[in-house]
Amino acid sequence: MTRIQQSRGAAASRILGIGSSQPERVVTNDELSTKMDTNDQWIRERVGIAERRFAGPDETVVSMGVEAGSKAIAASGLTPSDVDTVIVANCTNTVPMPNAAAQIAELVGARAAGGFDLNAACAGFCYGLASASDMVRAGSAERVLVIGSEKLTDIVDPLDRSTAIIFADAAGAAVVGPSDEPGIGPVAWGTAGDLAETIRMPNGRHIHQEGQSVFRWATTKIAPIALRAVELAGLTPADIDVLVPHQANLRIVEAIAKKLRQKGAREDMVVADDIVTSGNTSSASIPMAMDHMRAAGRVHSGDVALLIGFGAGLSYAGQVVICP
Amino acid sequence: MAEKPTEEQILAGLAEIVEEVAGVESDEVTADKSFVDDLDIDSLSMVEIAVQAEDRFEVKIPDAELANLKTVGDAVSYVAKNA
């Protein structure tokens, strides 16, 4: 009988390197206050954002993804041709085709790499990371470039103060490769499709969210998912050095951290607060926060980080990783 | 809670929750006060207060209902009726 041969993968996977990219233009709360009925204090109190970056016409999902991806490849000590697969988490590309992954693979120099886009909104990076890790362990890929790249300003009504103050543009990336010791834990993921209507694009052009409903969900349902990721990794909350929740809203980040500390996470656990200067950049926020914290010396190689993404769908995914 | 709480117990419990969530002194939290206008509580803090009140009083306070709870007294009545 004919038998199909199966591929064999690595014993384990890990993140080899991280990179990020932001547009040039910094947009302050004061600038937004000139366009709509809001002010610096109101924005800081509600969402914790002081400033964010908006992309210009030449700064795109692809261009930001290329820059973040190239930096991640360099940080990994690899050359672009070492990358054999590219996953781009994205929910803001305004055209469904061509996808971003094929263009980014070509432009970073990972010519002919396998590539696809993945949409799990703000949870997209964690979905991509889990997929990459499993590919490396299953043998369908050896080194995977995982990118979250988003140009939210393309789908935000610039005069809607409930969204225009929150969302921004950026890309973050990680290279996942083989490892002797596990560097990426099992993923805890899922969806809450019964709440699909709470973050949507009702006119097909602009994002709308039910702020209170999303806030309630994020502050009550996400910490237990994060704890499940810790459990799946065979660890306890006290083992976590760094907490990197999706940078949705500083109050959500703080609520998740508080709940984890009630369950044994340490007081000195570093908590990502990149939203303060970067805004909510959807799938880019987690890898970019890790990159910024590494650059600032707040996170070190070998630290145990708990990642938890959550957003439209509603979708969520989290895992424990060892920082590269 | 085995027995239904009295309105006094609900008010005292809500005052503790409001103090914890929003940093408002609990003796400021009286039935006639408006959450938004008098106590300066924003829409997201209202969600946090509702979530804690749900746990404490074993009651459901849906987001759609939150908009109707303008004053502390409104919240006390709602909890008393639905707990």
Side-chain angles (χ1 to χ4, degrees), chain A:
Chain A
M1 189 180 149
T2 307
R3 186 173 185 278
I4 295 173
Q5 181 173 295
Q6 300 285 281
S7 55
R8 286 196 182 181
S13 63
R14 66 183 178 96
I15 297 176
L16 304 174
I18 286 181
S20 66
S21 166
Q22 284 180 289
E24 287 295 316
R25 193 163 93 80
V26 175
V27 178
T28 63
N29 292 341
D30 286 341
E31 179 180 337
L32 294 178
S33 306
T34 64
K35 296 174 183 160
M36 65 197 93
D37 180 20
T38 189
N39 62 65
D40 181 55
Q41 187 191 352
W42 193 95
I43 296 173
R44 285 175 191 257
E45 284 178 4
R46 295 308 189 287
V47 294
I49 299 170
E51 62 183 42
R52 74 289 284 147
R53 304 273 187 119
F54 283 1
D58 296 336
E59 294 167 319
T60 65
V61 165
V62 169
S63 75
M64 291 187 291
V66 167
E67 186 179 345
S70 296
K71 287 179 178 173
I73 293 168
S76 305
L78 300 174
T79 57
S81 59
D82 294 327
V83 170
D84 57 23
T85 307
V86 177
I87 301 174
V88 180
N90 173 266
C91 65
T92 56
N93 216 358
T94 49
V95 293
M97 63 180 175
N99 70 9
Q103 298 170 77
I104 291 173
E106 176 71 17
L107 291 168
V108 298
R111 182 156 290 173
F116 62 92
D117 291 11
L118 171 165
N119 182 350
C122 303
F125 179 78
C126 292
Y127 271 83
L129 190 62
S131 304
S133 175
D134 289 352
M135 287 176 191
V136 168
R137 295 195 308 126
S140 42
E142 196 171 340
R143 293 190 184 87
V144 185
L145 176 59
V146 184
I147 299 173
S149 186
E150 306 283 4
K151 190 171 176 181
L152 271 303
T153 50
D154 272 344
I155 63 160
V156 165
D157 176 349
L159 299 179
D160 175 4
R161 72 168 187 169
S162 69
T163 53
I165 62 161
I166 299 172
F167 294 110
D169 306 325
V175 177
V176 175
S179 172
D180 295 331
E181 288 296 315
I184 301 175
V187 69
W189 66 19
T191 54
D194 56 323
L195 297 172
E197 291 295 305
T198 58
I199 309 175
R200 63 190 195 280
M201 295 175 67
N203 61 6
R205 289 178 56 217
H206 295 136
I207 187 169
H208 173 81
Q209 66 174 353
E210 311 286 339
Q212 284 185 315
S213 301
V214 175
F215 184 80
R216 183 194 290 249
W217 176 74
T219 54
T220 57
K221 305 294 187 197
I222 297 306
I225 306 299
L227 289 166
R228 187 146 64 83
V230 173
E231 193 183 328
L232 289 170
L235 302 176
T236 67
D239 294 318
I240 304 302
D241 300 312
V242 188
L243 173 65
V244 192
H246 162 51
Q247 302 290 291
N249 175 326
L250 191 61
R251 286 167 65 171
I252 293 173
V253 168
E254 287 170 348
I256 293 170
K258 183 179 172 185
K259 285 209 155 63
L260 295 185
R261 287 190 170 116
Q262 286 168 352
K263 298 291 184 184
R266 304 195 310 267
E267 285 303 316
D268 69 353
M269 174 178 71
V270 174
V271 179
D273 57 2
D274 198 51
I275 188 170
V276 176
T277 50
S278 298
N280 176 338
T281 58
S282 188
S283 68
S285 85
I286 288 175
M288 179 166 65
M290 292 176 75
D291 191 40
H292 287 171
M293 288 194 292
R294 180 198 53 75
R298 294 175 67 197
V299 170
H300 306 94
S301 179
D303 282 356
V304 179
L306 172 57
L307 317 183
I308 179 78
F310 49 92
L314 302 177
S315 312
Y316 52 86
Q319 63 267 90
V320 175
V321 304
I322 305 296
C323 293

